[in-house]
Amino acid sequence: MAAAHTPRESAHAAALGVRQALGGSFAAISKWERELGKLRVLVNVGELADGEEEFPDDESYPVHEFPEIVDFLHEQWAGGGEPSAWVERAEGPPGGPASTGTEGGGCVNPQRVAALRRRGRGCCVVAPIVLHGRAWGELYVARRTGEQVFGRADADFASVLAAVTAAGIAQTERLAEARRLAFTDSLTGLANRRAVDMRLDEALELHRGDGTVVSLVVCDLNGLKRVNDSRGHAVGDRLLERFGSVLSLCGAMLPGMLAARLGGDEFCLLAVGPPADEVVKVAGELCDRAGELDLGEGVAVGVASTGDPIGPVRSARRLFRLADAAQYKAKAARSGEPVVAGRHGGKDDPVVRLADAPDRRTGPERRRFRR
């Protein structure tokens, strides 16, 4: 679990471990989705029955079918104890009712008993997974019909394994949150420059390998300084947030397009795969929508795509320089439309020539090309 990068990987590692530790033929990890009132299965491992998948897309059960996850656990907590695992069996104890039977405490659940029989399993041990003092979900391990039934010692061991699982899930969630923060702009919720750099490097590897089209749309939000100076930075932040929403909306027009804030008033869209014409169309839509914002003065947009005649693109810096040069032209001309590198003369295109010129600019202009 410590090596897992995602909650699903963490749950998978936990299920594999507890199945082996308890000698089960099958194991599952489920999460209680409180807002939906469902127990959703994250992963199934071992001998899968008909209809079961290792990573189910939508295997979930109403919580009211499993009252112990809500009532029984809270009753235990109310008594000052800790939630513990329990065993359920498809056959009742010797001489008892044929329909139910438990070992190690807990309460009989007819749905679980029916599921055991339906799937050819003789018994199961169920252990609540508790995270941050609340029921998070459950660990479930089953054995085949005819195998030794789980006992009290197994239930106690399952409680320990559930606690270890909870610790692993908590660590994975913390790491996932740290990664999210590392690649997210805190103000707008868009991707940040670090995320763009990583995605662009990966995209250019694809481009060099099979010619995948990679396109970069760089945007400079006009009028932010005026808003900050005249109405305060809180209003300026609101303008950035509103434009971020517009950028996200436009980015969603093409599959897999990444919307990001590079810093300050600079934003970008990164597309991998779609033709250059489709990206330019999205850039035009972005210009139109940005012009309709109450605050600000529209946006200057530059586009550079390996699908246009811009020469070889061997590095992320090259594509950034081309998109920046196009944006610089758009800003200088106060253009209400995107300027696209390479579409007015190939290598003799003014934008391409600007991007290829030595860096002799100073201040903000120089900053644009130091990628």
Side-chain angles (χ1 to χ4, degrees):
M1 295 182 75
H5 295 288
T6 66
R8 188 172 80 165
E9 290 178 7
S10 183
H12 186 254
L16 290 172
V18 299
R19 173 179 174 256
Q20 181 179 10
L22 285 166
S25 62
F26 171 85
I29 302 289
S30 303
K31 182 178 182 180
W32 180 11
E33 294 184 333
R34 293 170 181 264
E35 70 279 12
L36 300 177
K38 292 182 178 180
L39 195 63
R40 181 167 65 89
V41 179
L42 302 180
V43 61
N44 296 308
V45 300
E47 298 176 3
L48 306 184
D50 290 343
E52 289 178 333
E53 299 177 359
E54 186 172 22
F55 296 108
D57 290 330
D58 188 26
E59 183 184 351
S60 59
Y61 304 93
V63 173
H64 68 75
E65 293 184 1
F66 304 94
E68 68 275 12
I69 201 71
V70 180
D71 300 326
F72 173 61
L73 298 183
H74 288 279
E75 287 175 7
Q76 285 200 332
W77 275 319
E82 289 292 330
S84 59
W86 65 91
V87 175
E88 306 230 22
R89 44 192 295 184
E91 297 292 335
S99 59
T100 60
T102 62
E103 296 280 350
C107 56
V108 175
N109 185 311
Q111 283 81 12
R112 290 190 194 275
V113 171
L116 285 171
R117 292 178 172 181
R118 186 170 63 252
R119 293 165 177 166
R121 294 165 185 153
C123 63
C124 67
V125 60
V126 184
I129 298 173
V130 179
L131 211 61
H132 312 306
R134 302 174 66 187
W136 180 90
E138 69 171 35
L139 178 157
Y140 177 100
V141 183
R143 286 176 177 167
R144 305 180 196 91
T145 299
E147 293 185 336
Q148 183 177 355
V149 174
F150 289 116
R152 177 71 264 173
D154 295 309
D156 291 341
F157 188 28
S159 296
V160 174
L161 293 174
V164 174
T165 298
I169 290 170
Q171 173 181 287
T172 304
E173 289 184 347
R174 285 194 297 270
L175 291 175
E177 178 64 9
R179 283 191 289 269
R180 186 190 69 79
L181 293 174
F183 294 101
T184 303
D185 176 64
S186 58
L187 177 64
T188 62
L190 301 175
N192 62 14
R193 178 58 191 265
R194 184 182 292 108
V196 173
D197 287 342
M198 288 188 63
R199 180 76 66 85
L200 186 52
D201 286 341
E202 294 170 356
L204 289 177
E205 282 290 333
L206 291 174
H207 172 68
R208 288 188 287 268
D210 60 13
T212 298
V213 175
V214 181
S215 305
L216 189 64
V217 180
V218 176
C219 321
D220 190 291
L221 185 59
N222 298 327
L224 179 63
K225 185 177 186 304
R226 176 189 59 78
V227 172
N228 283 336
D229 292 344
S230 63
R231 304 184 65 175
H233 285 272
V235 179
D237 285 351
R238 191 160 74 246
L239 173 58
L240 289 169
E241 290 180 277
R242 292 181 64 188
F243 179 71
S245 297
V246 169
L247 187 74
S248 177
L249 185 151
C250 292
M253 294 177 179
L254 290 178
M257 184 175 266
L258 180 71
R261 182 186 178 201
L262 300 175
D265 57 1
E266 293 189 13
F267 295 77
C268 81
L269 292 170
L270 173 60
V272 183
D277 285 344
E278 292 186 16
V279 176
V280 172
K281 184 177 179 180
V282 169
E285 181 72 16
L286 177 63
C287 289
D288 293 342
R289 290 178 178 270
E292 296 172 357
L293 293 175
D294 294 336
L295 302 171
E297 301 167 5
V299 65
V301 175
V303 183
S305 174
T306 62
D308 284 323
I310 56 175
V313 177
R314 298 186 178 89
S315 68
R317 185 172 184 271
R318 169 69 177 169
L319 198 63
F320 257 118
R321 283 176 66 91
L322 287 161
D324 262 339
Q327 182 208 73
Y328 178 73
K329 284 288 187 181
K331 198 171 190 71
R334 298 183 179 277
S335 174
E337 298 179 351
V339 172
V340 185
R343 296 207 169 184
H344 300 285
K347 292 184 178 180
D348 293 325
D349 181 280
V351 173
V352 176
R353 293 175 63 184
L354 178 61
D356 289 339
D359 254 345
R360 295 174 181 169
R361 290 166 294 279
T362 60
E365 292 182 16
R366 180 175 177 82
R367 174 176 59 83
R368 292 180 181 280
F369 294 90
R370 298 185 65 181
R371 300 287 185 189

